[in-house]
Amino acid sequence: MDARQLWSGGAATAVIAALIALAGILVCRWLFGIPVLAPRQDGAWGDASTAGYAIAAAAAALVATAIMHLLLIATPRPQMFFTWVIGLGTVIAVVYPFSTTAPLSQKVATAVINLMLGAAIGSLINGTAARVIGRRAITGDCQPSYPSSVPGN
């Protein structure tokens, strides 16, 4: 595994996640007039909570990268386990807004943004991991050399 490339991909994913969060908030506020994180009077850019949401999205991508790194080191099928972790985390993030007392439109808007974030982070980190895993192909007469158990061979 090339850890440097994994973390470079994780950093790029963090930037993309922050941009998805920002774009989702702007689309909800500008096009649909739905305040996702701040009251409508805060304008399209909202208040510090907009930046906080984008930073949290970037942090989630970095946490996902750390989880993938640990799974690559410790588990036999890291990408399968990662898909489950991200999938369940995304379900929690999508369902959570519905536990609040916000209007239904705000719950749906936040859930959609969270779903997009989960899908993007999961697919980008999984794709990065597939690229950084070193695989050796055994072809033709090129067989790996194993130590012989017979002395003198």
Side-chain angles (χ1 to χ4, degrees):
M1 171 190 58
D2 186 345
R4 184 180 53 82
Q5 280 192 340
L6 176 66
W7 283 97
S8 295
T13 301
V15 170
I16 291 169
L19 291 173
I20 289 171
L22 180 61
I25 291 167
L26 293 177
V27 165
C28 288
R29 288 185 181 156
W30 281 351
L31 292 181
F32 301 112
I34 301 170
V36 174
L37 298 172
R40 184 167 300 171
Q41 64 268 23
D42 287 332
W45 290 100
D47 58 8
S49 61
T50 300
Y53 198 83
I55 290 168
L62 294 175
V63 168
T65 305
I67 291 169
M68 178 57 89
H69 193 162
L70 292 172
L71 291 171
L72 285 167
I73 293 168
T75 62
R77 303 263 323 256
Q79 291 173 291
M80 179 181 66
F81 289 107
F82 180 78
T83 300
W84 273 96
V85 169
I86 292 299
L88 292 170
T90 301
V91 167
I92 292 167
V94 167
V95 172
Y96 178 75
F98 294 98
S99 70
T100 67
T101 59
L104 182 61
S105 61
Q106 292 179 22
K107 293 176 184 180
V108 170
T110 303
V112 168
I113 293 170
N114 290 347
L115 178 62
M116 291 178 59
L117 284 167
I121 291 170
S123 64
L124 290 170
I125 298 298
N126 229 337
T128 300
R131 173 86 172 139
V132 303
I133 298 171
R135 300 183 195 267
R136 291 191 180 132
I138 300 173
T139 58
D141 291 355
C142 299
Q143 297 294 322
S145 60
Y146 297 102
S148 175
S149 60
V150 179
N153 283 340

